[in-house]
Amino acid sequence: IRTLDGEDWIDGMTEALKDADVKSGVFATAGCSMTSAGAPSLENGLYDAEVGFRLIVQREKPLPIVGDGGIIPATLTFGATKDVTLRDTPGTTNHDADNLKIGVGVNSAGVVDRALLHFALTGIPVGATATTANLIFTGLNPTAGPTAAKVRRLTQTAWVENQATWNVYATGLSWVAAGGDVTDVGEVDWTLPTGSGEFTLTGLAALCQDALDNRSGQLHILLRNVDESTNGRNITFRDSEYNPIP
C-alpha cells in the first residue's frame, strides 16, 4: 500500500492509526478479516476476550485520507452508544441494569426479548460509500437453534436507554406499536447463534449507508426473532458497558 505522498506504508502504521486523533469512540482496526458483501452470515474471530457490541464499517476508498480531525482510516470500529432489552412481560420494566446483558428471542416461559442498539457513525467522510458493515458480538447461553431472526431499522429514534420498555420509548411516551417502532425496509435476515462465543453478523452496509445519507450518521436498529410464538429460542449478548472500546 502507498501513502498519499508516495512513501511506503509500513506495517506498523496500522497500530499508529489506533492512536490517531480521529474522533472520540472511533479507531482503526488491524488484522480484520472482512467478509465480502452478500448474504448475511455469522463467523468467529476478531477479539480475544468477550466484548460488547462492535460495528465495523469499511468505506470504498482503500487508502486513509486526511480530515479535520487527523487521519481517517478506511475501516472504522464503533461501539454501541446505547443498548437495552425490551421484554414483553412485564412490559413496564426497563432492563438497562440487567447485569451487562442484552436479550433476543423467546425463553422457555414464552417471554419475548428484543434488543435495541444505537451507533453514531461519526468520522466517516461526507459522501463515502459503506462497502461492508459487520456487527461483532459475544453470544451467551443460547437455548436452541438455529433460529431465524431479523435486524430492522427503528423509526422512533428518541428512545432513552434507562427508560425504554416494551410499552414506552421514554417515560410517559408510548411506542406506536408495543415492542419498538420499526420498518422492514432494508431489513437483514440472520440466524441466532447455536453456541456461545464471539460472532460476526455481516450484511449491514445498506443500513449504515442509509444512516450516513439520510440520518446524520445515526443508526438505530432492533434485533428480534422472526417467530416469537415458539418458546425456548433465545440468547443473551454482552452489552456496550461490557469491555467497552477504550
Side-chain angles (χ1 to χ4, degrees):
I1 301 175
R2 309 286 291 185
T3 57
L4 296 178
D5 61 5
E7 295 296 323
D8 288 335
W9 186 264
I10 60 173
D11 292 341
M13 190 58 185
T14 305
E15 291 299 321
L17 283 172
K18 290 185 179 180
D19 298 324
D21 181 19
V22 182
K23 291 196 181 281
S24 177
V26 181
F27 61 89
T29 57
C32 292
S33 178
M34 301 299 293
T35 303
S36 60
S41 64
L42 290 174
E43 300 180 349
N44 286 35
L46 297 180
Y47 295 91
D48 294 330
E50 293 182 354
V51 296
F53 292 102
R54 305 277 199 267
L55 183 67
I56 298 178
V57 180
Q58 186 170 30
R59 59 183 175 82
E60 83 287 2
K61 296 184 182 298
L63 292 177
I65 63 175
V66 177
D68 292 340
I71 295 175
I72 302 174
T75 302
L76 297 172
T77 298
F78 305 89
T81 58
K82 56 182 179 179
D83 48 20
V84 72
T85 300
L86 301 185
R87 184 165 295 160
D88 73 339
T89 306
T92 56
T93 301
N94 174 264
H95 294 278
D96 183 43
D98 278 8
N99 195 28
L100 303 179
K101 294 179 181 178
I102 298 290
V104 174
V106 187
N107 71 14
S108 59
V111 176
V112 176
D113 282 348
R114 297 175 180 175
L116 302 187
L117 308 177
H118 170 252
F119 297 91
L121 307 183
T122 57
I124 297 178
V126 174
T129 298
T131 55
T132 62
N134 303 327
L135 183 64
I136 313 297
F137 56 82
T138 299
L140 305 169
N141 306 318
T143 57
T147 301
K150 295 281 188 183
V151 179
R152 288 177 173 157
R153 181 176 63 81
L154 275 168
T155 56
Q156 175 52 261
T157 61
W159 60 280
V160 179
E161 185 178 38
N162 63 359
Q163 297 176 18
T165 72
W166 187 269
N167 295 337
V168 303
Y169 61 88
T171 301
L173 300 172
S174 298
W175 300 102
V176 173
D181 302 329
V182 297
T183 176
D184 59 6
V185 175
E187 68 180 16
V188 175
D189 296 306
W190 62 296
T191 303
L192 293 189
T194 58
S196 297
E198 179 202 307
F199 298 91
T200 302
L201 168 59
T202 67
L204 302 183
L207 285 171
C208 289
Q209 191 66 53
D210 173 75
L212 292 170
D213 292 344
N214 304 312
R215 307 179 205 287
S216 301
Q218 304 305 303
L219 177 65
H220 297 262
I221 54 177
L222 180 147
L223 282 59
R224 55 162 290 176
N225 281 11
V226 173
D227 175 10
E228 295 182 325
S229 64
T230 302
N231 295 359
R233 295 184 178 275
N234 67 318
I235 191 171
T236 55
F237 303 114
R238 290 299 188 192
D239 74 359
S240 59
E241 284 79 31
Y242 189 95
N243 194 14
I245 289 177

